[in-house]
Amino acid sequence: MPKPITTQITTMQTMAKSGNKISEILSYLAQQEGIEEQLVLMERCRDAFNCSLGNVTAIGAWWHDNSCELDNDALDAYIGYVLTDYLAGNSSS
């Protein structure tokens, strides 16, 4: 059973502070929390990392099993700055 949204967001923030990459955080949500909709993953990132949906649109071309256009490394390269900004205390919304 998936955790409540607030718990998922707290987990995402904790993972970011622990040095996890965005692809690792999203893989956790997909595999452990059962989130299969990329839009929901984008919304979780928006809420967890104080960014706009526009900052994380690359998630739409990614999936944890590398079956989409972007693999983990490419996703980290495209939107990894969202975590950097979050950790630095800057909002990118």
Side-chain angles (χ1 to χ4, degrees):
M1 184 169 162
K3 295 176 185 163
I5 293 170
T6 55
T7 304
Q8 291 174 352
I9 289 170
T10 300
T11 300
M12 292 171 70
Q13 292 169 337
T14 300
M15 290 177 76
K17 291 172 185 173
S18 295
N20 290 91
K21 297 177 182 179
I22 193 76
S23 62
E24 295 169 328
I25 294 169
L26 294 174
S27 291
Y28 163 80
L29 289 176
Q31 296 174 308
Q32 302 302 314
E33 295 295 318
I35 298 174
E36 297 183 359
E37 301 83 15
Q38 287 144 315
L39 179 58
V40 174
L41 294 173
M42 292 167 59
E43 291 170 339
R44 292 294 187 281
C45 283
R46 175 198 61 201
D47 297 341
F49 304 125
N50 304 315
C51 64
S52 71
L53 288 177
N55 293 121
V56 293
T57 56
I59 294 170
W62 169 89
W63 195 239
H64 65 89
D65 64 3
N66 295 318
S67 62
C68 289
E69 184 177 345
L70 297 180
D71 63 12
N72 291 339
D73 292 335
L75 184 71
D76 293 332
Y78 277 114
I79 66 170
Y81 73 90
V82 169
L83 295 183
T84 305
D85 289 351
Y86 168 75
L87 294 171
N90 302 319
S91 174
S92 48
S93 38

